[in-house]
Amino acid sequence: MASPNISACVSAGFSGLKRAPLTHIVTSLLVVLIGGICFGLLAGPMMVGYMRMIKTEDEGGTTEIADVFKGFEDFVPSLLAVLVGSIIVSIGYLLCILPGLLIMAIVPTAAYLVAMGEKDGIHALKRAWNAVKDNLLGAFLCMLVLGIIGNLGLILC
């Protein structure tokens, strides 16, 4: 995988938000709420469902809020990818914070790979690790910028 183009990611995100703002706001809140209520155990399938919604929109299809639950079709791979990835990142944070910050992009990358068809959560995590380790600084900066924008959006809600 190539290094992420942060400005392209942000532009694409805002373009998608402009097309269907209510759908994206409600869906994002559902991902956060359901993932949080279940101690993060359902965060993986919810993230995968949301990523599939975005892909469908990008391909010109129509989506609805209930589509976020389609991530449960790949429950085990998405659960493993996000849960194990989160544990790895947490261990990185325990090792003086910097390692966790540098590898935090493996979680959404692994979820994305599951959303795009990877049926093995651990294999998705390995592929995500290979992509992130080749682009540590770019992945970190992308996660930092997107995290700041996401938190600002959450504050505005």
Side-chain angles (χ1 to χ4, degrees), residues 82-137:
V82 172
L83 184 62
V84 174
S86 297
I87 291 169
I88 292 168
V89 171
S90 296
I91 291 169
Y93 280 118
L94 291 174
L95 298 172
C96 298
I97 298 175
L98 186 59
L101 287 173
L102 289 175
I103 63 169
M104 68 182 170
I106 65 170
V107 175
T109 305
Y112 173 79
L113 291 170
V114 171
M116 296 305 118
E118 178 66 56
K119 297 296 183 187
D120 181 350
I122 301 301
H123 189 256
L125 202 52
K126 289 177 185 176
R127 287 179 56 199
W129 165 246
N130 288 330
V132 169
K133 78 174 179 179
D134 292 341
N135 301 298
L136 274 179
L137 184 60

Side-chain angles (χ1 to χ4, degrees), residues 12-28:
F14 279 116
S15 294
L17 180 63
K18 284 187 224 176
R19 280 191 301 246
L22 184 63
T23 301
H24 285 285
I25 290 169
V26 171
T27 304
S28 296

Side-chain angles (χ1 to χ4, degrees), residues 27-50 68-83 86 107 111:
T27 304
S28 296
L29 289 173
L30 279 173
V31 171
V32 170
L33 289 173
I34 292 173
I37 289 171
C38 299
F39 306 105
L41 293 176
L42 300 181
M46 297 295 289
M47 286 172 59
V48 166
Y50 188 49
V68 73
F69 296 103
K70 290 184 178 179
F72 286 93
E73 294 169 0
D74 290 312
F75 180 79
V76 173
S78 59
L79 173 71
L80 284 175
V82 172
L83 184 62
S86 297
V107 175

Side-chain angles (χ1 to χ4, degrees), residues 55-63:
K55 182 181 182 211
T56 300
E57 282 182 352
D58 287 346
E59 293 173 344
T62 58
T63 59

